[in-house]
Amino acid sequence: MARVGSFIKFDTSDVERLGQTLGDITGAGLAVATVTALNAVVDRTYDLSRDRITTGIDLSDDYLRRRMSVERATASKPVASITASGARNDMTVLGRFNARPTVVPNRAPGKRKGFGALGIQPGSKQQGVTVEVRRGADASVDRGFLMPLNKGAESGGNGFGVFARTKDGRLRHRYGPSVYQLFSYQIPRITDEVADDLEDTLLAEVDKQTQKAFE
């Protein structure tokens, strides 16, 4: 997927079962019902999608909120949407997924001071990195190591990123699944649920406006 992000749009073009009900409601009433229904559903879907992501992936809800945006419907624009940014600056570094060094004894001669910032004691060294992308499931980056990131760079909160050397010796900063990829994965899995919610909510709102029209 191109890094333009992932999004899901909400409108009423596919809503069925409205039937003759629309004939009993004024244009203004229909507009109110549409906007109210769209905004209620987009808010619930925003919560649902974050819940589904954080159930399996070790990212905080606060982190998702900072990379997902909601555009609510208005009377002049009766369309709502949720977007997850795919911008380069919003990619998720692997260091965010509870990255910690795999520590082994350092038997090499010379300096063996350790690395206090990473909890590595003198006489030990890091040999690989352990991460937890999926909750409760550690994974190893065997040729990986933790290095300080530039000030202001995104990390797992401790200022370090996961790096590994490629076969040709190049140093590569490793990334994990980003929010836009995780959201993109969830979209087809919640589409039917959201469509049913939208249809039911819109029908309920139309019914409310119809009752008002006859008061």
Side-chain angles (χ1 to χ4, degrees):
M1 178 183 293
R3 286 179 181 159
V4 296
S6 300
F7 74 96
I8 182 170
K9 184 175 72 172
F10 305 78
D11 59 37
T12 59
S13 60
D14 295 327
V15 174
E16 301 175 354
R17 296 193 292 121
L18 289 179
Q20 296 180 350
T21 306
L22 294 178
D24 297 327
I25 186 173
T26 65
L30 179 59
V32 171
T34 299
V35 170
T36 302
L38 285 172
N39 288 335
V41 173
V42 76
D43 288 344
R44 285 195 291 268
T45 305
Y46 181 51
D47 293 339
L48 173 66
S49 58
R50 297 193 331 273
D51 287 344
R52 295 286 173 86
I53 291 171
T54 56
T55 294
I57 302 296
D58 191 23
L59 289 175
S60 69
D61 185 65
D62 177 68
Y63 183 83
L64 297 183
R65 286 177 179 273
R66 286 186 277 119
R67 280 161 173 73
M68 296 174 67
S69 60
V70 176
E71 183 177 356
R72 305 181 90 232
T74 64
S76 60
K77 187 180 179 182
V79 177
S81 63
I82 301 171
T83 303
S85 172
R88 177 69 181 181
N89 290 340
D90 289 329
M91 297 295 98
T92 304
V93 301
L94 193 58
R96 176 160 292 277
F97 295 98
N98 192 23
R100 58 237 188 246
T102 301
V103 179
V104 298
N106 184 1
R107 296 186 174 87
K111 297 181 180 181
R112 295 186 294 172
K113 294 183 178 180
F115 198 158
L118 290 175
I120 301 174
Q121 301 301 316
S124 299
K125 64 179 181 178
Q126 62 172 316
Q127 183 172 300
V129 176
T130 300
V131 296
E132 186 183 354
V133 176
R134 295 188 178 276
R135 292 188 184 278
D138 285 346
S140 297
V141 184
D142 293 333
R143 294 192 300 273
F145 50 93
L146 295 171
M147 289 180 57
L149 297 176
N150 294 331
K151 185 177 180 180
E154 193 238 335
S155 71
N158 59 5
F160 289 84
V162 178
F163 291 80
R165 291 197 179 278
T166 60
K167 292 182 179 180
D168 61 3
R170 294 182 180 179
L171 190 63
R172 178 187 174 196
H173 190 183
R174 300 290 298 272
Y175 288 79
S178 293
V179 175
Y180 87 97
Q181 294 171 313
L182 296 168
F183 183 46
S184 179
Y185 176 83
Q186 290 297 332
I187 288 174
R189 289 161 177 79
I190 64 175
T191 297
D192 290 344
E193 188 175 346
V194 172
D196 289 343
D197 186 14
L198 178 57
E199 187 168 340
D200 292 342
T201 304
L202 181 57
L203 283 167
E205 290 298 330
V206 168
D207 185 61
K208 288 180 183 179
Q209 294 301 318
T210 302
Q211 294 301 321
K212 289 182 180 180
F214 287 101
E215 291 178 355

